[in-house]
Structures are given as structure tokens and as C-alpha cells.
Amino acid sequence: MNDLTSLAIMGGNPAFSKKLHVNLPNIGNRDTFTNLVNSMLDSHSFTNNGLLVQELSKKISEYLQVKHCVLTNNGTSAMLLLIKALELSGEVILPSFTFISTAHTLLWQGIRPVFSDIEQNSWNINGDHCESLITKNTTAIIATHLWGRSCDITRLKDIAERHKIHLIFDAAHAFGCTFKGGMIGHFGRAEVFSFHATKVFHTFEGGAITTNDSVLAEKLEQMRNFGFTGYDQVSRVGTNAKMTEVCAGMGLANIESIEQLILANKMVYKQYQNRLKNFKGIKLIEYNPSESNNYHYIVLEIDEEQVGLSRDEILQILHNENIIARRYFYPGTHKMEPYNSLYPQINSTLPVTNFIASRVLLLPAGSGISEAEIIKICSILDLILKNPEKLRQQLKLKYKVV
Ligand code: T4K
């Protein structure tokens, strides 16, 4: 595309007839999945730690090189279970720049989430700020490996050990990623994964807690099944956080294809990287080439001063083209309810979070996107970069205020 009038915002037709989403769910080996579903139907075993769940748990443990993988019905309940199992209380420090669920899992259990700012480069939790927030009531740090780029685990471990508090990781984005060559999954007391449909490895809905701590793993296994330890025996408080067999079947089909799925992501990333490298004011985040990455997210940082349009204006233009770019994790957890009302004073303590949240934009990615689609998306971005003033005027006309 090289004609401004061809843009949908200027009256042209949308570049894509169907909406392009940020993460169209992956489908691993279809035959494996359908065969497993048939065997599940034949066996009449649908849930309650069935054979498929057990097999998937084993395969994930092997892949992540960790002793235990406790599978759950989603990542949020995995985090809820872990917080309960570790008996966290008082205050827990976490970044605001992450998915809202992490803060909810704390407040839901009567624990105060304390929001730390992030590092300017990695966008992960800032160790200095995190440490300054520790009080006598702090019981843990929950750090997110955002976009699969690992936190500064060494630094966080040191902080947690010196202050005698728990360190756990939200590894929702980090399946297949490494820190100093070691697979994410065994760091801290435990790590929590999301296997939501939009993740690189998924089970439709699902999640897991991975750990090398056998006592903790056994406790978690009981807690995800109401605390049952025998047919008529309950030994502790629990809930229902079990993964179903059909979800595990999807997981088995996806784990079989995980290397291809990651490779496809890497190709997509490289294609965007090649095309965006000379775009002034639009920066694609980098993945450390000396680590394994899953390249699942195509994350841009938009510099309004250089581009002449804000991130939100670009978002609007792309949505008109049916490119459903997203602003994860705008505006930051601290600006969403109930946290905004509970802790209004916190905003001024999170300058980097606020800055990045106003600039981040995720583009369609994953194994479902073709090179032709990437070329088209990048040519639209190119057109945007070449015509910021005219586009701003048009946006004002169309939407009155942007
Ligand atoms: N920690 C972190 C750092 C996380 O990112 C997440 C989840 C969690 C914890 C919690 O784990 P879970 O409890 O979810 O397992 C989505 C996901 O629902 C959520 O799992 C994910 N993070 C978050 C980053 O994204 P939404 O509200 O943005 O989803 P939605 O429905 O807008 O879907 C995203 C895109 O994917 C859409 O553009 C449409 C497309 N899509 C989605 C689904 C579900 C499809 O094409 N097909 C589908 O089936 O939250």
C-alpha cells in the first residue's frame, strides 16, 4: 500500500476483510488431538486427574526440566492455589505492568498488592524499587517474566533471601524461555504458567504451577482437588482447580508441536524485525539471542514525538484496517479498579510503568499469520509514518477527539 487514500480511515476499504487478532490460538498436531479425544470418550474418563492430565504433567516436567508440574484449569487459579499453599499474607510486591489477574489473586485472598515500577529496558520488575517497598508485612515478591523475557532472577533471589520472603514467578508468557540457559519453570519457590488459548503452548484454558519442591507440589495437588487425600478423606482446605482431560488432550497435541510453533513465532518475529528496522519512532522489542525465547509477542514501543502520532492514534488507524492491535498492559493494574480507588497515591511512584503503558502496542503474531499479511501490516505502518499530520486531521474529523 502506498496511497494514503487507500487507508480505511481515509475512506478506503479495510486492508483485511477478516479481523487479524494478536494471538490466534495455535493448533498443534490435529490427529493427535482427535485421537486422544476419541480415546477419552471411549474411556469415559473426563476429569479428576485422568491419564491425559498425568501424561501431560510428565511431559511438561520433562520439557521444562523441573520435578513437578501441577496442572490446573487456568493460570489464575494456579496462582490462587500457590498463594494459599505458601500461606502468604499481609503485603506482596508485584509489578503493576502485568495482567490484572495477578493483583486480583492477592486481593481475593485478603492480601494487599503493592505495586513496583519496572525497569526501563526490560519492562520487568525493578529490583531497587521492589526492595524499597519491603516492610515487616511483606511476605513475597511475585515477578512476571513479561513477554517471556526473564526477570533479573539473580537480583530478585538475593533480595528475597536477605529479607526472608518468598519469591515466585508469573511465567504466563515464558513457556520455552530460559534464564542463563536454564528453562524457566524451576526458579524461585515456584513458577506459574498460563495455558490460555492465546499462549504459545495452550490447553484451551489451563495453567500450571511448576516447582522442584516435592512437599509443596503434593500440597498443591491436594488443594486443587478440594483437599482430598483419599476417597472419604480431606486433609486440608482446597478448591476445584482441576484440568479436564479434553484440555490435557489439546496440551499433548501442542507439546508435540512446541518446537515448530516456536520456530514459526521466530520466523514471524524476524519478518517484522526486517521490515520495521528503519521505522523511526517505532521500535520492536528485542529478545536476548543468547537465551531461548518463544517469540510469541510482537511488541512495539511508539515514540509519539518521532512519529507525529500517538500510540492510540495508530491503534485507531490499525483497527480501521481490521488489524486488532492491542495495548497490553495499558493502563497498568494500578489504574484499574479496585486498585485505582484503593491506592490513588501510588500513581506518582510508577513513572516507568506509566510511560511504557502509554507507548506499547502489540501486533498480530503467532503461527496463524502469513508473511503476506506481515508485509501488508508493515506497509500500512510505513504509510502512517509518512503522513502523520494528514492522518491526525482525519482522526479528529472522524472521531472529534482522539
Ligand atoms: N499472568 C499473565 C502475565 C497473563 O498474561 C495472564 C493471562 C495471566 C497471568 C492469567 O492466566 P489465565 O488465567 O488467563 O490462564 C487475554 C487472555 O484471556 C489472558 O489469558 C492473557 N493473559 C491476556 C494477556 O490476554 P484478553 O481479554 O485480552 O483476551 P481476548 O479475548 O481479547 O483475546 C485476545 C485475542 O486473541 C483477541 O484478539 C482474539 C484472539 N482469540 C482469543 C480467544 C480466547 C482468538 O482468536 N480465539 C480465542 O479462542 O485476555
Side-chain angles (χ1 to χ4, degrees):
M1 285 173 85
N2 48 21
D3 174 12
L4 188 62
T5 57
S6 63
L7 288 180
I9 190 87
M10 304 300 285
N13 290 323
F16 298 95
S17 53
K18 277 202 336 213
K19 289 188 191 317
L20 272 194
H21 291 295
V22 283
N23 288 115
L24 193 69
N26 287 325
I27 302 171
N29 190 324
R30 258 180 206 247
D31 290 340
T32 299
F33 177 65
T34 46
N35 290 339
L36 288 172
V37 169
N38 280 327
S39 72
M40 177 199 81
L41 293 174
D42 290 342
S43 73
H44 290 260
S45 168
F46 299 156
T47 186
N48 288 9
N49 204 27
L51 289 179
L52 301 186
V53 165
Q54 290 174 39
E55 193 183 335
L56 182 62
S57 165
K58 204 165 145 260
K59 290 217 158 130
I60 292 176
S61 296
E62 278 162 19
Y63 180 71
L64 298 181
Q65 295 158 24
V66 63
K67 270 195 200 155
H68 304 281
C69 168
V70 180
L71 292 170
T72 60
N73 53 351
N74 59 59
T76 304
S77 50
M79 187 61 87
L80 278 166
L81 279 186
L82 181 60
I83 289 166
K84 194 84 180 162
L86 292 175
E87 298 173 23
L88 302 187
S89 62
E91 298 171 4
V92 169
I93 301 169
L94 74 164
S96 165
F97 196 62
T98 188
F99 194 52
I100 191 80
S101 65
T102 318
H104 284 347
T105 55
L106 293 165
L107 201 63
W108 194 269
Q109 304 194 65
I111 299 165
R112 180 188 165 131
V114 176
F115 296 114
S116 169
D117 210 356
I118 50 173
E119 294 172 336
Q120 186 81 49
N121 295 333
S122 71
W123 305 1
N124 283 326
I125 195 164
N126 178 313
D128 290 338
H129 190 220
C130 171
E131 185 162 17
S132 75
L133 295 169
I134 294 175
T135 70
K136 61 179 183 353
N137 298 322
T138 308
T139 52
I141 299 167
I142 303 180
T144 306
H145 304 299
L146 196 73
W147 322 131
R149 301 192 299 179
S150 61
C151 300
D152 186 347
I153 295 176
T154 314
R155 170 106 173 84
L156 294 173
K157 189 166 172 272
D158 170 61
I159 295 171
E161 280 172 2
R162 276 192 287 105
H163 293 272
K164 298 187 173 44
I165 56 177
H166 294 288
L167 174 62
I168 60 189
F169 292 100
D170 177 341
H173 298 175
F175 196 81
C177 302
T178 59
F179 171 73
K180 296 195 173 159
M183 291 298 266
I184 298 287
H186 71 279
F187 295 102
R189 269 316 284 285
E191 305 211 49
V192 172
F193 289 88
S194 164
F195 300 150
H196 182 258
T198 53
K199 299 289 185 272
V200 60
F201 167 79
H202 74 89
T203 59
F204 297 133
E205 284 271 8
I209 307 124
T210 57
T211 182
N212 281 334
D213 182 333
S214 303
V215 176
L216 178 63
E218 192 184 0
K219 193 172 178 185
L220 289 163
E221 265 171 25
Q222 293 166 4
M223 288 174 77
R224 79 172 166 184
N225 186 28
F226 313 100
F228 274 108
T229 44
Y231 270 138
D232 305 309
Q233 195 183 344
V234 172
S235 303
R236 57 177 80 252
V237 72
T239 184
N240 183 354
K242 290 167 277 138
M243 179 178 277
T244 62
E245 288 291 273
V246 72
C247 288
M250 189 70 215
L252 287 165
N254 282 332
I255 197 95
E256 197 179 310
S257 309
I258 190 69
E259 295 307 342
Q260 289 115 280
L261 294 171
I262 290 178
L263 194 64
N265 280 353
K266 189 171 180 179
M267 298 293 285
V268 165
Y269 178 83
K270 292 277 169 205
Q271 285 157 3
Y272 272 117
Q273 192 181 43
N274 280 339
R275 293 195 158 72
L276 296 174
K277 62 175 182 266
N278 297 322
F279 282 29
K280 257 187 126 192
I282 295 185
K283 195 172 141 213
L284 178 65
I285 64 154
E286 284 169 13
Y287 293 102
N288 182 348
S290 63
E291 298 286 4
S292 295
N293 304 287
N294 62 33
Y295 298 93
H296 194 53
Y297 296 98
I298 300 295
V299 187
L300 305 181
E301 186 182 352
I302 310 288
D303 181 338
E304 180 173 355
E305 268 181 36
Q306 284 195 60
V307 175
L309 288 167
S310 68
R311 181 274 315 272
D312 291 350
E313 288 170 313
I314 294 177
L315 181 89
Q316 197 70 266
I317 296 166
L318 294 178
H319 278 205
N320 272 270
E321 303 293 346
N322 275 336
I323 302 166
I324 311 302
R326 297 291 294 266
R327 300 181 289 183
Y328 295 135
F329 288 104
Y330 171 83
T333 305
H334 68 292
K335 285 193 180 156
M336 292 184 176
E337 293 301 341
Y339 312 103
N340 189 38
S341 299
L342 283 173
Y343 318 121
Q345 71 289 357
I346 225 143
N347 187 41
S348 61
T349 67
L350 303 171
V352 185
T353 299
N354 289 329
F355 181 71
I356 296 299
S358 71
R359 292 157 72 99
V360 69
L361 191 65
L362 277 82
L363 292 181
S367 60
I369 188 164
S370 69
E371 185 168 10
E373 287 168 331
I374 294 170
I375 292 172
K376 213 168 184 182
I377 293 169
C378 293
S379 71
I380 290 166
L381 286 172
D382 186 40
L383 209 48
I384 291 173
L385 279 180
K386 287 179 176 143
N387 299 280
E389 280 129 47
K390 284 185 191 145
L391 284 166
R392 183 165 269 177
Q393 270 175 7
Q394 181 66 11
L395 282 161
K396 278 190 182 143
L397 262 176
K398 192 160 174 185
Y399 298 107
K400 310 288 185 252
V401 187
V402 179

